[in-house]
Amino acid sequence: MFLTLKITLNHIKLDCLKYVYLPTMNLTFYKYQGTGNDFIILDNRTKEFPKDDTKLINKLCHRHFGVGADGLILIENHATTDFEMFYFNADASQTMCGNGGRCAVAFAKKLNIIDKKTTFTAFDGEHYAEITNDIVSLQMIDVSEIIIKKDAVFTNTGTQHHVELVEKLADYPVYENGKKIRYNNYGIQGSNVNFVEQINNNTFRVRTYEKGVEDETLACGTGVTAVAIAMHATKKTTENTIKLPVEGGLLEVRFQEKNGNYTNIFLTGKAEFVFKGEIKL
């Protein structure tokens, strides 16, 4: 059973003293989640949603004054691929999102834009994906630049990621230390920060502080992809199919590696429809 909500947000609180009034419009949205990474998704093939309105995106994603989500996704037509995905973090910054991409594929299937296979365009280029029931396997970009530091690894799997092995991950201060590393180690652009605990040769538990959300999220698709590659590059594993338990479930990353170049990288896990809603703005 799925829930349909109708929400009115004529006034959105900015702080304890100020309010902003938004022009009236009816907006139908869909809520999806991929291992706890949750997204507002809109069918924007008519291009009615003002995607340059960063304040609106930010407020829709707000956990208290909006719908609430880690990010917002727009699906639009594209000239050469099945569709185009525009992904915005909760702070309205644009990037690539692995779990968001998987949820976008599930939504495109719901709209009958695709069937079981697709190629779509995103912030970091074209992506191929396959969907069976609620399992989506998304091909990520190739990765060749991996910076191995003394205590961490840095790479870009569609967005920037810092990967660091720690002990007792369940009790680790992810928010506090993630925020410090995100702001202090990587300048204005910043980086997502992944803390990792090795379980066995092919299993690594992951917790992630995400820039743009500015908090720990229950999962991060580009993050676990970075972790899988970092653990292989630093010889913590010899496997090329890695299981990655996150706070919201289980993800899997498989890849091929040759001379330090990682190709045919696939991120696999559940992408689930939660509810449909309507907002009067």
Side-chain angles (χ1 to χ4, degrees):
M1 178 181 294
F2 297 111
L3 179 66
T4 298
L5 299 180
K6 288 190 175 181
I7 303 171
T8 299
L9 294 179
N10 287 331
H11 293 82
I12 296 176
K13 190 174 182 182
L14 289 175
D15 53 40
C16 61
L17 298 176
K18 298 178 182 178
Y19 291 78
V20 60
Y21 182 80
L22 297 175
T24 299
M25 64 180 293
N26 291 320
L27 183 68
T28 299
F29 69 91
Y30 298 78
K31 190 73 179 289
Y32 274 76
Q33 64 90 10
T35 53
N37 232 174
D38 63 334
F39 310 101
I40 300 165
I41 308 187
L42 307 175
D43 178 0
N44 200 43
R45 287 176 290 176
T46 60
K47 297 189 177 181
E48 293 179 355
F49 184 84
K51 59 176 173 276
D52 59 343
D53 191 338
T54 58
K55 290 183 179 179
L56 175 58
I57 293 169
N58 179 250
K59 292 306 173 184
L60 287 172
C61 291
H62 200 287
R63 296 288 180 185
H64 301 291
F65 302 117
V67 177
D70 292 330
L72 182 141
I73 298 169
L74 303 177
I75 299 296
E76 296 187 4
N77 292 320
H78 191 268
T80 60
T81 59
D82 292 328
F83 64 91
E84 185 166 8
M85 177 186 84
F86 291 88
Y87 178 78
F88 301 87
N89 285 314
D91 69 352
S93 58
Q94 278 192 267
T95 187
M96 172 56 186
C97 176
N99 286 327
R102 294 191 309 100
C103 287
V105 170
F107 182 57
K109 182 173 175 58
K110 184 178 182 68
L111 295 177
N112 295 315
I113 296 173
I114 67 166
D115 188 16
K116 296 180 180 179
K117 299 179 180 181
T118 184
T119 301
F120 68 94
T121 302
F123 184 80
D124 59 347
E126 289 189 9
H127 290 266
Y128 170 78
E130 298 178 356
I131 179 169
T132 303
N133 298 322
D134 60 357
I135 302 296
V136 179
S137 186
L138 172 67
Q139 186 171 19
M140 307 295 283
I141 62 170
D142 294 345
V143 176
S144 58
E145 185 176 358
I146 303 162
I147 301 172
I148 300 175
K149 304 179 180 182
K150 180 180 179 181
D151 299 314
V153 177
F154 178 82
T155 190
N156 189 317
T157 54
T159 191
Q160 301 82 5
H161 279 281
H162 171 105
V163 177
E164 184 173 325
L165 277 167
V166 300
E167 296 180 353
K168 298 180 180 179
L169 182 60
D171 301 320
Y172 193 80
V174 170
Y175 175 81
E176 293 81 1
N177 289 355
K179 185 176 182 179
K180 289 178 183 178
I181 294 169
R182 177 257 194 269
Y183 283 102
N184 296 340
N185 294 26
Y186 292 98
I188 296 174
Q189 188 176 46
S191 175
N192 295 300
V193 183
N194 306 274
F195 298 105
V196 186
E197 182 175 32
Q198 184 164 9
I199 307 301
N200 56 44
N201 188 48
N202 73 335
T203 306
F204 297 83
R205 186 180 175 191
V206 183
R207 293 176 65 187
T208 302
Y209 177 96
E210 284 200 56
K211 68 184 179 78
V213 181
E214 305 309 333
D215 204 347
E216 180 180 3
T217 55
L218 295 181
C220 179
T222 53
V224 297
T225 303
V227 169
I229 291 170
M231 295 301 97
H232 188 271
T234 54
K235 304 187 186 306
K236 300 298 181 183
T237 180
T238 57
E239 301 291 324
N240 61 3
T241 298
I242 310 297
K243 297 184 184 300
L244 300 130
V246 294
E247 296 299 282
L250 178 66
L251 291 165
E252 181 181 278
V253 173
R254 69 181 189 274
F255 52 79
Q256 295 176 352
E257 183 272 335
K258 185 176 181 180
N259 298 325
N261 296 313
Y262 290 80
T263 60
N264 292 318
I265 305 166
F266 279 86
L267 169 69
T268 301
K270 287 186 175 182
E272 298 177 302
F273 170 59
V274 182
F275 65 84
K276 178 182 178 180
E278 182 179 295
I279 306 173
K280 186 175 182 180
L281 299 175

